[in-house]
Amino acid sequence: MKLKHIVESQQFTVPKIMELFERTNQMKKIVARGGTRDYSNRVMATLFYRPSTRTRFSFEAAMYRLGGKVLTTEQAKEFSSEVEGEMLEDTIRIISNYCDAIILRHHQEGGAKRAAAVSGVPIINAGDGSGGQHPTQALLDLYTIYNECKTLDGLSVAFIGALDDGRTVRSLAYLMSKFDRIKLYFIAPGDIQIKPDILDYLKENNISYALAKNMDDIINRVDVAYQTRIDRNRLQDKNLDLSVYNIDTDVLQKMKYNSIIMHPLPRSVEINTAVDTDPRAAYFRQAKNGLYVRMAVLSMLFDEA
Amino acid sequence: MKLKHIVESQQFTVPKIMELFERTNQMKKIVARGGTRDYSNRVMATLFYRPSTRTRFSFEAAMYRLGGKVLTTEQAKEFSSEVEGEMLEDTIRIISNYCDAIILRHHQEGGAKRAAAVSGVPIINAGDGSGGQHPTQALLDLYTIYNECKTLDGLSVAFIGALDDGRTVRSLAYLMSKFDRIKLYFIAPGDIQIKPDILDYLKENNISYALAKNMDDIINRVDVAYQTRIDRNRLQDKNLDLSVYNIDTDVLQKMKYNSIIMHPLPRSVEINTAVDTDPRAAYFRQAKNGLYVRMAVLSMLFDEA
Amino acid sequence: MKLKHIVESQQFTVPKIMELFERTNQMKKIVARGGTRDYSNRVMATLFYRPSTRTRFSFEAAMYRLGGKVLTTEQAKEFSSEVEGEMLEDTIRIISNYCDAIILRHHQEGGAKRAAAVSGVPIINAGDGSGGQHPTQALLDLYTIYNECKTLDGLSVAFIGALDDGRTVRSLAYLMSKFDRIKLYFIAPGDIQIKPDILDYLKENNISYALAKNMDDIINRVDVAYQTRIDRNRLQDKNLDLSVYNIDTDVLQKMKYNSIIMHPLPRSVEINTAVDTDPRAAYFRQAKNGLYVRMAVLSMLFDEA
C-alpha cells in the first residue's frame, strides 16, 4: 500500500501505521546523529492559510533534518493577493511546479482533498477547517501513546475539553478505533461534546465508548488523558464551572501510576504547570515526537513516489 | 553585454534574450536531474513590500534548485518598523551586505531603479507599482511563446482585459516589439485600455498594432491570446458586459489550432476551467517556465558579476 | 567562561569580548572566502514577536554563511494562534525541540530571560521590550568602535537622541563601562533623557559621564557620536527644536578628523544624507559588522555547547 497524499487519518491501515512507526524510530536515531543529507535535492513548501508557528516549524525542521529545503508562508491568506473567485486549485497547480511536497493548512474543510485532486506532488493536510482533520497530529499522538504505553491494544483513552471543534481529537479517534479492545471516553460540557459523526463511526466499528460531563469515576481508570483547550470566550455566558475540566495535582493523584497526560498544545489554564514535572506529563515529549513522525511521513512519501 | 541589475524589460537586447533562453533550456535539464549545487555559497533575499506567494516561491524555488540559500519576507512593508522618512535606499544598503542578490517587489513605481542605484548586489525587479514593470514575468512570458510557437518573429498577439494597470502586459509589449513583423492587439473596455506611453513606444518603433473593444474578428487570427484579469469592482458601476472578455469553449472554437492562451495567473472568471484541458491552454506551462527562466536570470547575474 | 544564552550585554567580561572579537575577525575572512559548511547540521529559529526585517536577515544571513538552516517568523505574535494565558515558556519548550538555537525578539521586557530559563537550546535576545536589551546590537556597536578607533580604552562617546527607550544605547553603555578612562555624554531633551538606572550603574562603577541638552561644546571633542532616532510624534506638542539633535555637514565640520558617526538604523531625518560620503560616517560599516559579530556569537554558542 503506497500513499501519495496524506489527507485524513483513515487512510492509514494498521500495517502502514506500524511501518511508519518503525521509520519514526529510525528518524530518532538519525536526528541524534545530526540528521541526514539524503533528501538534499528536495524542496518542501508550507502553504499555511491559517498561521501556526509550532506546526509549521515542526514540518520545516523535519525537512531540514532530512537535508532538504523549505519554501514558507506564515499567513498565505492575508498575504496572497487573493482575488474574487481565485481557486485554491490554481494555486496548487502552480506551486506544485516549484516543490516536491506541499504542507497545506487551509481554512475550509475539504481544502486538502481539493488540493490533492490537482497536485502533481504529495499534499499533506496540516489542518483543514475546524471540522476537518490534521492527520500527522493524530499520527504523532498515536506514536506517543505507542511509545509511552508500549502497546496500542486494550487501552482506555479519555478525551477532555472542547471536543466539537477538535480536529486533533477527531483524527485520533479514527486512528485509535483501528486497534483492539479500545475504550474511549468523551468528557465535555454538552454544548461542545464530540459530534455525532464520530460516534456513528465508533458504533459501526463496534468500538466501546461513553460520554460524560466530568472526569469523576473515569480519570482513575484511563491509560491516557487527552486534554484539549476550552475557549472560555465561547462558553462564558453559560454559567458553567469549567474548572472541573482542568488537570491539576489533585487530579494527578487519582490517575493510574502508569497513565499519561497528553495535550496538542498550546495550553491555557487547563493543565496546571505544577503537573509538568510529573513523569506522566507526556505533552512535551508528544510535541517532540512531531519532528520524528513528520520526518517519517515526508521520507515515506518521497521514497514511495 | 553584461547586466548587473534587472530593472525593466527594455534592458534586454535580442542576443541577450536568446542567450538567456539557451541558459533556460539548460536549467530545465538541470531540474530534471535534481538541481545543482553550483551556487551553494550564494544567498538570495526576497524583499517583498507587497505579498505574492506565487512569485516569491518561484524565485525562491529557483534559488534552491541552484543550490543556494534564501532570506525571505512575506510582507516587508507591514512588518518593517518603517518609520517616517525611512529610506528604501538605506534598507537596500543594509540588506545588500547580507546577501548576493535582492528580489524586490516595491509598491512604488521606480522603486527598483532607486534600489539598483545604491545596491552592492544585483537587484531584480519583481514588480514596482501598478504602472511599473515586472521584467522576469515578461521574460518567462516571452520564453513560453518561443517554446510553444517555436519562433518570436511574425507573431500576432492579443492582449485582453485590464490593460491599463497591467505591469505584465506593459513589460511584454516592450519585449515583443524587439522582434520582426509583430502585430499587437489590445482588447479592453475604453476605461482600462493600454496607456498611451506604450502606444507611443510602438509607433516610434514601427510596430503594427490595433485597439479593440471586443475579440470579434481578432481572436480567430492571433497566435497568442494573452488574457489578464479584470477587477470587476473597479468597473461594476459602468454597466459594461465584461463577459465578452472571457475565454470559454466557444471562443476556443474560433481560435487557430496552433494558437495558445496565456495568463499571468491568478485567474478569476475570465478563463473558464473547461478550457484547461485544451492543448492550447498554455498558462500552467507558462507558470512552470517561471522556475527555469528565474534560474537562468539568477545564474547569469551570479556568473557575470 | 562559557555562555549558554545571550540575554544581556553585562554577561560579557572583557576577556570574553576580546575572544568574541577575535572570532569576529575570523568570520570576516570566512565570508570573503564564500562561507563555511562547518555548521551544516545546525538549525536556527528566528522567533520574532515584533517584526524587524534587518535584524532578522542579519541573524539568518549569519547562519547561512555558517552553512546552517533557518526556521523563520516574520511576526510570530500576530500569526500565532496565541490564546488567552498561553505561555511563552511552552512555546520555547516546544520550539527548542526543533532547532539548535532560538533568536528571540519579544515584546515584553524580561522575555528573553524567561525563555532562557526553560530552553533546551541557546536563546539569543534580539530585543525584549523597549526598556530591555539587545545585546548583539551592543556587541556589533562595540566591535565597530574597536575596529574604527583601534582601541576601547580612553574613548569619549556621545549618545544623541531618544535615549529613554533606547535598548541599543542602554546595552552599549553597560558594555563601554567595562573599559578604562571612558567618558560618556548623553545628549537629549529632558523628557527623553537616559533613565536613572543607567546613571546609577555608571556612578557605582566610577564611569565619567555628563548630561546635556545639545551638542555644543561636546561634539567637537568626542571620538564617537552615537546618533539615535527621535520619534517626532512623541514630542510634537512640546515646542522643542529637535533639529539641534541632527547631524549635518555643519556638525561634521566641528567633529574631530578621526572621530566616527554611528546609528543603529533605520534613520529618519536625524543624519543628513550629505554626511553619508564622509569617511567618518560609520553607520553602514556598523550594519555590515552585524553579520560577522552574529556569526561569531552563533558559532561560539554552538562550539561551547
Side-chain angles (χ1 to χ4, degrees), chain A residues 40-41 43 45 69-75 78-79 83-84 86-87 90-91 93-94 97-100, chain B residues 34 37 51 53-54 56-58 60-61 64-65 67 74-75 79 229 265-268 284 287-288 291:
Chain A
S40 61
N41 284 338
V43 176
K69 315 268 174 94
V70 171
L71 298 170
T72 193
T73 55
E74 195 154 22
Q75 168 55 300
E78 199 169 302
F79 290 165
V83 294
E84 169 213 1
E86 181 181 352
M87 286 178 294
D90 274 11
T91 300
R93 280 184 192 104
I94 296 167
N97 289 318
Y98 304 150
C99 59
D100 303 298
Chain B
R37 299 198 184 176
T53 302
R54 285 170 225 80
R56 186 168 61 85
F57 273 16
S58 173
E60 294 182 352
Y64 283 147
R65 299 300 185 192
E74 196 153 22
Q75 166 57 300
F79 290 165
R229 193 163 48 80
L265 303 176
R267 71 170 148 183
S268 176
F284 293 124
K288 186 164 195 172
L291 178 68

Side-chain angles (χ1 to χ4, degrees), chain A residues 136-185:
Chain A
T136 60
Q137 176 73 43
L139 289 167
L140 78 88
D141 288 345
L142 193 68
Y143 178 81
T144 301
I145 296 171
Y146 184 56
N147 217 253
E148 302 271 336
C149 303
K150 303 303 173 199
T151 180
L152 288 166
D153 296 318
L155 294 176
S156 296
V157 180
F159 294 103
I160 306 160
L163 306 181
D164 60 337
D165 71 347
R167 270 192 308 244
T168 306
V169 167
R170 296 172 60 83
S171 287
L172 183 55
Y174 279 123
L175 276 188
M176 286 302 302
S177 63
K178 292 174 186 281
F179 294 88
D180 294 336
R181 292 166 289 115
I182 293 297
K183 172 95 187 176
L184 303 182
Y185 298 93

